[in-house]
Amino acid sequence: MGKVYYISKNVGLGLLVLGVSALATIIALSIAYDKEKAKNQGRPGDGAADSTSMPTPPATLFTPKEPWDRYRLPDSLVPVSYNVTLWPRLEPNADGLYIFTGHSAVVFKCVKETDLIIIHSNKLNLTNFHGHLAKLSGLDEVTAPTIQKSWLVVKTEFLVLQLRSRLAVGATYVLYIEFQGELADDLEGFYRSEYTEDGVKKVVATSQMQATYARKTFPCFDEPAMKAVFSVTIIHKRGTVALSNGLTLPLPPTERMSTYLLAFIVSDFVSIQSNQNNNLLIRIWARKKAIDDRQGDYALNVTGPILQFYERYYNATYPLSKSDQIALPDFNAGAMENWGLVTYRETALLYDPIVSSTGNKERVTTVIAHELAHMWFGNLVTLRWWNDLWLNEGFASYVEYLGADYAEPTWDMKDQIILYDMYKAFAVDALASSHPLSCREEEVNDPAQISEMFNTISYNKSYLNTFAFDNTEYTDLWDHLQKVGIHIPHTVHDIMNRWTLQMGFPVVTIDTRTGSISQKHFLLDPDSVVDRPSQFNYTWFVPIKWMKTGVEQQQYWLLQKTGTIRVTLTTPLFLTLSGQDWVLANTNVSGYFRVNYDLENWSRLLSLLNTNHKALSVINRAQIIDDAFNLARAKIISTTLALTTTKYLSKEKDYIPWESVLRNLNYYILMFDRTEVYGALQAYLKKQIQPLFEHFRTITANWTRVPSGHTDQYNQINAIGIACSMGVRGCRELIRGWYRQWMETPNHNPIHPNLKSTVYCSAIAFGGTEEWDFAWMKFKNTTVASEASRLRAAMACTKTPWLLNRYLEYTLDPTKIRKQDATSTIQYIAQNVVGLPLAWNFIRARWSYIFQQYGKGSFSFSSLISGITKRFSTEFELQELKKFKEDNLHVGFGSATLALEQAIEKTTANIKWVTENKAQVLKWFTEASK
Ligand SMILES: *[C@@H]1O[C@H](CO)[C@@H](O)[C@H](O)[C@H]1NC(C)=O
Ligand SMILES: *[C@@H]1O[C@H](CO)[C@@H](O)[C@H](O)[C@H]1NC(C)=O
Ligand SMILES: *[C@@H]1O[C@H](CO)[C@@H](O)[C@H](O)[C@H]1NC(C)=O
Ligand SMILES: *[C@@H]1O[C@H](CO)[C@@H](O)[C@H](O)[C@H]1NC(C)=O
Ligand SMILES: *[C@@H]1O[C@H](CO)[C@@H](O)[C@H](O)[C@H]1NC(C)=O
Ligand SMILES: *[C@@H]1O[C@H](CO)[C@@H](O)[C@H](O)[C@H]1NC(C)=O
Ligand SMILES: [Zn+2]
């Protein structure tokens, strides 16, 4: 694929082994064995880094005249090592400003003759030495040129030194700089996090360098390929601890590493540790109270096994001398894989056995597994540039399931695998405004474009794409594939190019009456225009696993637009079909595509579901539903056919098919919960969910226990949540009873942790001010992060407008709602049908303020736009959205720019869909609920 990986020489060999073994496993998973396809999880919250909505980088290909006006570093200098000293002040100075000071000496080598030194520096005040912003000297008796002029370029974030003569190729030099920066609460670079413990305000200095914030901490060559070794000194007060990537004292330098993986933290946190892995020091750090409450124990328990698993999986020992993981009160992403010092949101690392739910626990396991996977892939082997980020994230998102499965073998992680990540990728990648996974380096330049690369497509559309290592390895793949007896019709390289160099994915149509099979680019909105040409004409090489009446058939490769599917080499499919025979393709979602059939086969599949749904695996049941709903959205099949796939649900007890239905019906709920259709929908869903609600009542002995199965626990949550909102008798009373009981004995919460989110939300939705105020009081007082985030979401469920408006005001007051939580809280409010218009007015009225405070480079910011506009489905709302865009052009939308475009596109599609479907949907639900 012409991908170049920057591998430092001394580790390259180990990684070659990694490449082959990972590929073998992934190929095996994706093509050979059908059981473990699809990626993952319905767990609440997001995966590893933030769930985001996705933007494409606009291709601004221009070549500025001066080298410092370009965003990329010139290729004349490479860093070798840095000595960095940092001194963060955890108390404000006389001007009320929190600052840090520091100095750095970078040793760099000249590889191309130049009289310019260009190095990144952003928002740092540099000390002036005799009129210049740095001191330059030569190493090994080289004489350094004198500096003629030095200046900062704000736009491209560079410090530039113009020299009087040229640097010599092959010589090394030292650049010494002293600087002072603000320890702001902006969650970028070296920043300040505040929290209160026992009524005392505490300040932590911590860091987030990815993607482009190391340069805001000290001047550096801040690109991923510019690896170097770092010797770090942190000055801090007695009574606090300083942490960085390596062990402290006697201060050995780090391994060769990229600047975006550095981390510096000064806090009064405490840790627990173990040495179970061959004397590797493993520590979990957090606030003292959290550690005292044993909230770090679970993370410590799973880290050792997960590291052991990866050492075996990658066939390479853990590359560093220690593994620190730390839970921070203020953190923008879900977690960040800094080498040897991984930072987490508290909810992603801390688990309280008493108050946390099964979902919380699963999240802790999978996020840890994800971040630790990066310690090798991403950190040891690093992408050359951010355009290949998808590979880094795709790979980690894939292996996190293997690591988590190893740590928690009873959870069936590999069964839950993928459907949900895959669904997310399907959803965004079916839009005309999607983008290919791979783009050229030149298309990703400035920091905003780099931030946009961290999007859902990169995170989720990737299990297939992890094949895409470079050419030296595909012969090994070929060997492996031959060994497992699979015929592949082209090289892996050719096959993969079609999946990574063009956007989207196909819908494959099988006509069982003739055996003909064809593919077409799948677009959710059939009228949208794709203006991005593809060198492959939106045709893929599609490996199709399929079964006939329960019997797995030989895999079929669709290599053209159309083909003919056969049961044996010569027997056409249609000759062998009779009576009740059915065909199901893409078994267990082993491929990244959707499937459509002729109506006869659809009705055979539907009757199979109604009579004997267990003849199909849970993943296939879920897939039939998900494909049908999406094909209906794209007007390839009728809406009523899609709805008919849900008729068998009164018999369905499994989580994955139910989750698939609920996610798809969610679109109907969003489109119709402000219309008369909602009454009929509610009546239908009430009828379908009732047996599931009774089922759980029975197996939990009247709600006195929780089910033992991991996914049954999730499905119980769905059953109660839907039953209550659809008005199943007894549900609201049950929930109100639990919540009342808690209000009467506030120090004893009788609600099982798994059910808390649902119970809090329903109790607040069907309760009044008293229930809300109780939740707020609990929210302010809890010391458990997961409990706080549940309460924060639940308070958005109230149907009382003034409570919602007051809550919206709270989101912009950091003493009430933390800055990191502001955008997601506004989104929670917008999810509530009563809260939507209030939230929309709120952000329109304050866009420029919100943008300044939360806009720049923030992950969750683009999802604010997509969250708020989800229900938009009227011409009036479309006009409002367009006006919002126009009115705020001067303010800008930053990383939400593309989200706004997509919101306009989606609203347009929603309007059309509602117009075309409302009448038949109303009719269908009315009849089906009888
Ligand atoms: C970096 O620090 C080490 C240890 O103090 C010292 O030996 C070395 O000379 C320093 N390098 C530079 C370029 O200042
Ligand atoms: C940097 O310098 C500017 C201008 O003198 C000053 O306003 C700002 O406070 C300084 N920043 C820090 C962190 O010292
Ligand atoms: C951690 O492991 C220990 C020893 O196996 C066990 O007793 C403890 O319950 C575990 N803690 C958690 C939170 O899982
Ligand atoms: C693992 O690495 C060792 C040493 O680097 C090598 O000898 C061995 O063949 C590797 N094993 C596999 C399965 O690649
Ligand atoms: C794509 O389609 C065009 C027009 O139909 C055709 O000329 C071209 O050869 C096709 N390219 C590929 C790679 O199939
Ligand atoms: C559950 O409650 C119902 C009615 O209150 C009762 O008839 C039934 O025996 C109870 N079942 C169990 C398992 O406790
Ligand atoms: Zn990651």
Side-chain angles (χ1 to χ4, degrees):
M1 317 228 81
K3 304 237 170 284
V4 186
Y5 297 97
Y6 187 82
I7 302 177
S8 27
K9 287 216 175 57
N10 50 351
V11 302
L13 211 63
L15 257 295
L16 203 64
V17 176
L18 143 75
V20 176
S21 65
L23 275 172
T25 311
I26 291 160
I27 295 255
L29 280 176
S30 306
I31 301 184
Y33 308 106
D34 33 329
K35 40 181 176 15
E36 7 207 330
K37 283 338 95 104
K39 235 162 155 87
N40 39 9
Q41 73 257 64
R43 61 175 180 255
D46 42 30
D50 241 16
S51 71
T52 50
S53 53
M54 56 272 32
T56 336
T60 41
L61 302 173
F62 65 101
T63 317
K65 264 212 285 310
E66 303 295 350
W68 52 82
D69 290 332
R70 297 180 194 150
Y71 285 101
R72 295 292 300 270
L73 288 167
D75 55 5
S76 41
L77 308 175
V78 293
V80 177
S81 67
Y82 293 80
N83 282 356
V84 186
T85 298
L86 292 169
W87 181 10
R89 314 298 155 83
L90 303 186
E91 285 106 32
N93 65 14
D95 304 329
L97 211 57
Y98 288 84
I99 62 153
F100 63 91
T101 52
H103 51 88
S104 74
V106 51
V107 176
F108 65 88
K109 188 167 177 176
C110 174
V111 293
K112 259 192 196 168
E113 216 176 46
T114 180
D115 59 359
L116 274 180
I117 296 176
I118 297 185
I119 184 169
H120 285 108
S121 177
N122 182 24
K123 296 188 182 161
L124 295 172
N125 290 348
L126 307 184
T127 301
N128 208 310
F129 303 105
H130 310 294
H132 300 304
L133 298 173
K135 288 199 273 203
L136 181 67
S137 50
L139 274 186
D140 305 325
E141 292 165 17
V142 169
T143 311
T146 51
I147 300 170
Q148 184 189 352
K149 207 164 69 151
S150 64
W151 69 98
L152 292 162
V153 185
V154 172
K155 176 158 179 265
T156 49
E157 305 176 350
F158 284 133
L159 161 64
V160 186
L161 306 181
Q162 174 71 59
L163 308 175
R164 287 191 195 280
S165 59
R166 295 183 169 181
L167 297 168
V169 171
T172 43
Y173 302 88
V174 186
L175 190 66
Y176 177 83
I177 304 172
E178 285 179 10
F179 50 87
Q180 172 163 332
E182 188 185 349
L183 201 62
D185 59 352
D186 56 0
L187 312 171
E188 294 171 356
F190 205 20
Y191 72 90
R192 176 176 98 246
S193 169
E194 293 175 1
Y195 68 98
T196 314
E197 198 162 74
D198 298 331
V200 180
K201 184 175 119 178
K202 303 273 183 87
V203 175
V204 174
T206 180
S207 68
Q208 165 65 29
M209 305 308 188
Q210 194 183 37
T212 56
Y213 304 124
R215 64 188 70 165
K216 187 169 164 283
T217 308
F218 64 99
C220 54
F221 296 95
D222 196 12
E223 291 188 0
M226 292 286 180
K227 286 192 173 183
V229 302
F230 295 84
S231 296
V232 177
T233 306
I234 298 177
I235 300 170
H236 62 104
K237 277 196 172 168
R238 220 173 277 286
T240 60
V241 274
L243 297 171
S244 187
N245 306 77
L247 274 174
T248 48
L249 296 175
L251 286 174
T254 62
E255 302 292 328
R256 270 173 62 77
M257 62 183 286
S258 305
T259 46
Y260 82 91
L261 294 168
L262 289 166
F264 313 115
I265 302 176
V266 176
S267 70
D268 65 354
F269 285 9
V270 296
S271 67
I272 45 175
Q273 66 181 65
S274 86
N275 289 56
Q276 64 204 33
N277 290 33
N278 292 327
N279 293 323
L280 172 67
L281 176 63
I282 298 174
R283 293 184 294 195
I284 306 293
W285 295 85
R287 291 177 287 112
K288 182 165 186 312
K289 178 96 174 57
I291 292 293
D292 287 350
D293 289 348
R294 315 203 63 106
Q295 293 179 30
D297 291 14
Y298 180 69
L300 188 65
N301 279 7
V302 293
T303 298
I306 290 173
L307 287 176
Q308 275 163 14
F309 172 80
Y310 288 142
E311 289 191 328
R312 229 173 311 144
Y313 179 71
Y314 291 119
N315 195 24
T317 52
Y318 179 73
L320 306 174
S321 55
K322 58 104 174 171
S323 162
D324 279 325
Q325 298 178 88
I326 185 165
L328 294 165
D330 265 305
F331 193 64
N332 213 4
M336 174 62 211
E337 70 264 22
N338 311 305
W339 217 10
L341 176 51
V342 185
T343 46
Y344 294 84
R345 268 190 185 212
E346 291 196 339
T347 48
L349 189 68
L350 301 181
Y351 168 77
D352 185 316
I354 297 159
V355 304
S356 302
S357 70
T358 305
N360 297 144
K361 192 173 190 178
E362 186 180 306
R363 174 152 199 245
V364 169
T365 320
T366 51
V367 178
I368 290 177
H370 180 101
E371 301 310 326
L372 295 182
H374 280 309
M375 297 300 112
W376 289 263
F377 193 87
N379 299 7
L380 187 59
V381 180
T382 307
L383 306 166
R384 211 175 82 82
W385 185 243
W386 301 108
N387 61 321
D388 280 338
L389 185 74
W390 60 272
L391 182 59
N392 195 5
E393 289 312 330
F395 187 80
S397 300
Y398 164 75
V399 287
E400 75 183 65
Y401 286 94
L402 309 184
D405 182 61
Y406 181 80
E408 293 288 358
T410 65
W411 286 1
D412 293 333
M413 291 302 296
K414 290 185 185 170
D415 259 9
Q416 290 193 63
I417 271 185
I418 291 179
L419 275 174
Y420 301 111
D421 262 0
M422 188 98 150
Y423 282 2
K424 273 192 250 165
F426 270 143
V428 289
D429 207 12
L431 300 177
S433 56
S434 185
H435 66 87
L437 276 172
S438 285
C439 51
R440 283 167 300 153
E441 275 194 43
E442 315 84 79
E443 291 179 56
V444 182
N445 275 312
D446 70 48
Q449 289 168 344
I450 292 169
S451 165
E452 288 196 346
M453 289 307 291
F454 289 80
N455 61 40
T456 306
I457 296 181
S458 295
Y459 273 93
N460 298 329
K461 179 192 175 175
S462 38
Y463 75 109
L464 268 175
N465 311 300
T466 35
F467 295 66
F469 286 79
D470 77 28
N471 311 24
T472 52
E473 285 147 7
Y474 76 74
T475 44
D476 293 314
L477 281 173
W478 182 250
D479 288 348
H480 176 81
L481 290 169
Q482 304 243 307
K483 250 184 258 156
V484 292
I486 289 167
H487 169 67
I488 49 172
H490 287 268
T491 61
V492 171
H493 179 107
D494 283 350
I495 294 169
M496 291 318 303
N497 276 352
R498 290 173 191 248
W499 295 96
T500 60
L501 299 182
Q502 59 186 350
M503 69 178 190
F505 56 87
V507 49
V508 168
T509 302
I510 298 175
D511 188 337
T512 60
R513 293 164 310 177
T514 61
S516 78
I517 181 166
S518 59
Q519 61 167 303
K520 188 169 156 247
H521 183 191
F522 180 80
L523 288 169
L524 204 54
D525 175 1
D527 303 330
S528 56
V529 178
V530 178
D531 50 16
R532 187 190 283 271
S534 158
Q535 56 181 310
F536 305 112
N537 281 356
Y538 292 106
T539 306
W540 289 262
F541 292 156
V542 194
I544 300 175
K545 296 177 73 68
W546 63 290
M547 58 165 70
K548 198 189 110 190
T549 323
V551 181
E552 193 73 36
Q553 307 289 314
Q554 192 186 6
Q555 172 168 289
Y556 179 85
W557 278 93
L558 181 57
L559 303 172
Q560 315 277 331
K561 288 268 184 210
T562 61
T564 305
I565 198 162
R566 295 172 200 282
V567 176
T568 67
L569 275 181
T570 54
T571 321
L573 171 70
F574 67 95
L575 283 185
T576 71
L577 282 188
S578 64
Q580 296 302 303
D581 282 343
W582 46 270
V583 167
L584 180 90
N586 200 14
T587 48
N588 286 344
V589 196
S590 48
Y592 184 51
F593 58 94
R594 295 201 178 277
V595 192
N596 182 27
Y597 310 93
D598 56 293
L599 283 178
E600 272 172 46
N601 194 59
W602 271 116
S603 69
R604 287 167 179 175
L605 287 172
L606 292 181
S607 84
L608 179 68
L609 284 177
N610 279 312
T611 53
N612 181 18
H613 66 275
K614 297 218 162 156
L616 297 170
S617 72
V618 284
I619 292 179
N620 286 339
R621 268 133 62 195
Q623 173 220 354
I624 288 174
I625 295 160
D626 196 62
D627 277 350
F629 273 93
N630 283 279
L631 293 170
R633 283 281 296 280
K635 290 205 257 183
I636 295 170
I637 65 172
S638 71
T639 299
T640 52
L641 174 54
L643 287 169
T644 309
T645 62
T646 68
K647 279 213 139 180
Y648 89 100
L649 279 176
S650 50
K651 304 188 189 100
E652 180 62 84
K653 303 286 186 286
D654 271 305
Y655 168 68
I656 293 175
W658 262 109
E659 183 67 21
S660 172
V661 168
L662 295 177
R663 284 170 188 232
N664 281 298
L665 283 184
N666 190 45
Y667 181 69
Y668 288 65
I669 293 172
L670 288 174
M671 290 303 104
F672 294 128
D673 65 0
R674 297 174 292 172
T675 76
E676 63 187 316
V677 177
Y678 193 63
L681 183 154
Q682 221 176 0
Y684 173 69
L685 215 45
K686 178 176 168 186
K687 184 174 118 183
Q688 297 296 76
I689 200 87
Q690 180 117 24
L692 193 69
F693 183 72
E694 298 304 336
H695 167 74
F696 281 110
R697 184 210 296 281
T698 310
I699 69 169
T700 60
N702 285 339
W703 313 111
T704 56
R705 298 198 293 257
V706 295
S708 51
H710 187 70
T711 56
D712 286 342
Q713 294 186 12
Y714 290 157
N715 211 23
Q716 182 196 21
I717 302 167
N718 278 343
I720 294 183
I722 301 300
C724 279
S725 52
M726 297 305 142
V728 168
R729 187 194 304 258
C731 188
R732 290 181 194 172
E733 293 73 10
L734 178 71
I735 276 184
R736 198 175 297 146
W738 285 335
Y739 196 83
R740 278 273 149 197
Q741 220 179 312
W742 185 31
M743 287 172 69
E744 278 153 24
T745 53
N747 294 325
H748 177 74
N749 187 340
I751 305 160
H752 189 278
N754 281 355
L755 302 178
K756 281 179 175 173
S757 292
T758 303
V759 171
Y760 295 175
C761 176
S762 300
I764 288 169
F766 302 114
T769 315
E770 231 183 302
E771 281 80 5
W772 201 96
D773 287 344
F774 179 74
W776 179 256
M777 183 270 287
K778 282 288 172 189
F779 171 72
K780 292 316 283 180
N781 292 333
T782 184
T783 54
V784 182
S786 58
E787 180 73 358
S789 59
R790 277 196 286 260
L791 287 161
R792 190 165 57 80
M795 287 184 285
C797 296
T798 176
K799 308 281 184 207
T800 310
W802 73 265
L803 284 175
L804 289 165
N805 269 332
R806 185 178 66 178
Y807 198 24
L808 280 167
E809 297 294 337
Y810 286 3
T811 62
L812 296 188
D813 177 352
T815 65
K816 292 198 160 67
I817 299 290
R818 282 183 175 283
K819 212 165 166 175
Q820 65 169 11
D821 296 328
T823 53
S824 67
T825 306
I826 299 172
Q827 278 184 75
Y828 288 141
I829 295 170
Q831 267 165 34
N832 174 344
V833 64
V834 181
L836 167 67
L838 309 177
W840 177 223
N841 287 341
F842 181 79
I843 70 149
R844 277 187 295 179
R846 283 155 230 251
W847 183 255
S848 73
Y849 177 77
I850 295 176
F851 184 71
Q852 273 153 20
Q853 293 291 310
Y854 304 93
K856 288 261 168 62
S858 157
F859 263 136
S860 51
F861 194 64
S862 54
S863 51
L864 178 63
I865 295 290
S866 52
I868 286 188
T869 56
K870 251 189 217 151
R871 274 194 182 81
F872 283 14
S873 52
T874 64
E875 194 56 45
F876 179 68
E877 283 162 337
L878 179 63
Q879 294 317 321
E880 282 189 327
L881 196 53
K882 287 182 172 165
K883 182 157 186 311
F884 170 61
K885 183 181 161 191
E886 267 162 37
D887 289 352
N888 291 288
L889 280 177
H890 65 287
V891 180
F893 299 94
S895 64
T897 307
L898 205 92
L900 186 62
E901 287 309 313
Q902 291 186 337
I904 291 174
E905 189 186 331
K906 279 188 180 169
T907 304
T908 309
N910 290 345
I911 294 171
K912 246 184 334 198
W913 187 85
V914 168
T915 312
E916 286 162 9
N917 289 282
K918 189 172 170 190
Q920 53 171 325
V921 169
L922 175 60
K923 181 158 170 278
W924 192 91
F925 277 123
T926 307
E927 279 166 12
S929 57
K930 283 189 184 129

